[in-house]
Amino acid sequence: MKKIKILIGSLLIATLMTGCASKKNNNITIVGSTAMQPMIEMAAEEFQHHSKVRITVQGGGSGTGLSQVQAGAVAIGNSDIFAQQQPGIKAEKLQDNKVAVVGIAPVVNKKVGIDNLSMEQLKGIFTGKYTNWKQVGGKNQKIIVINRAQGSGTRKAFESDVLKGESAIKAQEQDSSGTVQKMIAATPGSISYLAFPYLNKDVQKLSIDNVKNVENNDWKIWAYEHMYTKKKVDKKVKKFIDYIYTKEVQQNLVKTLGYITIHDMKVQKDENGNIEEIQR
């Protein structure tokens, strides 16, 4: 009788463990770029409606996403930069899935008094050449630069396209796009930059040289939204990434949130910032 009880107990434990493993195997954890986060969170929510997969999406920055997926700690690492641009990442061992393009715009406190800068003026502000808004056509007010943290892909993309190798001035740094958005709205004289999906009525988006078009590279500050994985992935991970490429997501969700679908781009960019026209 005692042996039977032990056997039944063992079977129950095995069943419970199998059930837990099954649930665990149905999870996908995604971390990285906060610029990508709104799109991936909403896509995950829709995907879960017609699948048994549970998806957890977290921020942390592109550097975190790349390092975590390389280490095997997460299934997908979201990034605004190429893996080749991040020190310590072995890009050849990762699979790059470019799922969208995001424009990045300089933003200022609404009381600064300007709505356009030249690219040279923008560069001059972030390298310390200009320290007062009156120097670039605004009010007599000190310029307060708010930067993103070093691990931010948005920062790396912005500095690559704007500073062109020059160093940014020392300034306060913030970890997330949402925090930058709130700080610009609340800090007189402040300037920073945000991915298009984070632009709202609380901050003033600046145009650059009075151009707007990202698709043909008139608007120079943009980045791919990458979903990096290992070379070999589970079927559920592949299915989710395939879902991101569907017309449902690309033509509806991507555009509604302020991103740009890959299919609308007329140019392409490599990890060194080289631009060439897409031949279709």
Side-chain angles (χ1 to χ4, degrees):
M1 186 70 180
K2 187 175 180 181
K3 288 182 178 179
I4 293 173
K5 287 182 178 179
I6 292 172
L7 179 60
I8 291 172
S10 298
L11 288 171
L12 284 170
I13 291 170
T15 301
L16 287 170
M17 288 180 70
T18 301
C20 290
S22 177
K23 286 182 181 179
K24 183 177 180 182
N25 287 338
N26 277 333
N27 291 346
I28 298 175
T29 302
I30 305 171
V31 303
S33 161
T34 59
M36 287 182 70
Q37 202 169 344
M39 177 178 69
I40 304 304
E41 283 179 341
M42 291 190 70
E45 186 177 340
E46 291 297 320
F47 184 78
Q48 289 174 122
H49 287 165
H50 49 78
S51 77
K52 295 180 180 180
V53 176
R54 180 180 177 84
I55 303 175
T56 302
V57 184
Q58 301 172 346
S62 298
T64 298
L66 288 167
S67 62
Q68 290 292 294
V69 73
Q70 177 171 270
V74 300
I76 299 172
N78 290 337
S79 176
D80 309 319
I81 59 173
F82 287 88
Q84 293 92 327
Q85 295 176 289
Q86 182 67 18
I89 299 299
K90 297 177 180 178
E92 70 277 5
K93 294 188 176 182
L94 298 177
Q95 179 64 45
D96 182 7
N97 303 283
K98 301 182 188 73
V99 297
V101 165
V102 67
I104 301 168
V107 291
V108 297
N109 183 271
K110 293 179 76 173
K111 295 182 180 179
V112 162
I114 63 170
D115 58 13
N116 180 74
L117 288 173
S118 70
M119 186 65 85
E120 283 303 311
Q121 287 173 326
L122 183 62
K123 179 180 179 181
I125 287 172
F126 278 86
T127 56
K129 178 180 179 180
Y130 303 117
T131 57
N132 192 296
W133 284 111
K134 69 178 181 181
Q135 294 174 286
V136 290
K139 296 179 179 178
N140 183 12
Q141 185 178 41
K142 182 181 178 182
I143 296 174
I144 305 296
V145 173
I146 298 174
N147 218 335
R148 289 294 306 279
Q150 286 290 345
S152 162
T154 305
R155 173 174 177 167
K156 190 160 287 189
F158 179 85
E159 291 185 348
S160 175
D161 290 336
V162 177
L163 303 192
K164 301 293 185 182
E166 291 193 31
S167 299
I169 59 170
K170 188 174 181 180
Q172 60 177 302
E173 298 179 354
Q174 297 299 327
D175 290 329
S176 74
S177 301
T179 303
V180 168
Q181 181 192 74
K182 292 173 183 176
M183 288 200 68
I184 292 296
T187 308
S190 58
I191 183 171
S192 189
Y193 43 88
L194 289 169
F196 283 6
Y198 281 91
L199 301 175
N200 67 8
K201 61 181 177 59
D202 296 326
V203 299
Q204 173 68 57
K205 173 193 171 183
L206 300 183
S207 61
I208 305 169
D209 295 318
N210 293 306
V211 299
K212 296 180 180 179
N213 194 310
V214 174
E215 288 85 347
N216 61 10
N217 200 49
D218 282 348
W219 184 275
K220 305 292 184 185
I221 316 173
W222 60 272
Y224 289 110
E225 299 292 50
H226 309 258
M227 296 177 74
Y228 276 101
T229 66
K230 294 285 193 178
K231 290 290 187 180
K232 293 183 179 180
V233 296
D234 292 341
K235 288 182 179 179
K236 63 182 181 295
V237 176
K238 185 179 185 305
K239 282 183 178 179
F240 179 58
I241 291 176
D242 287 345
Y243 174 68
I244 300 292
Y245 283 115
T246 63
K247 186 176 180 180
E248 177 185 352
V249 174
Q250 290 291 315
Q251 296 300 324
N252 297 316
L253 182 61
V254 168
K255 291 185 175 182
T256 299
L257 291 177
Y259 301 90
I260 300 154
T261 175
I262 290 289
H263 308 299
D264 286 347
M265 293 300 294
K266 295 177 174 56
V267 296
Q268 59 190 4
K269 182 189 294 188
D270 66 17
E271 66 270 20
N272 297 313
N274 299 314
I275 302 286
E276 65 178 16
E277 286 189 25
I278 297 174
Q279 302 297 324
R280 288 192 172 99

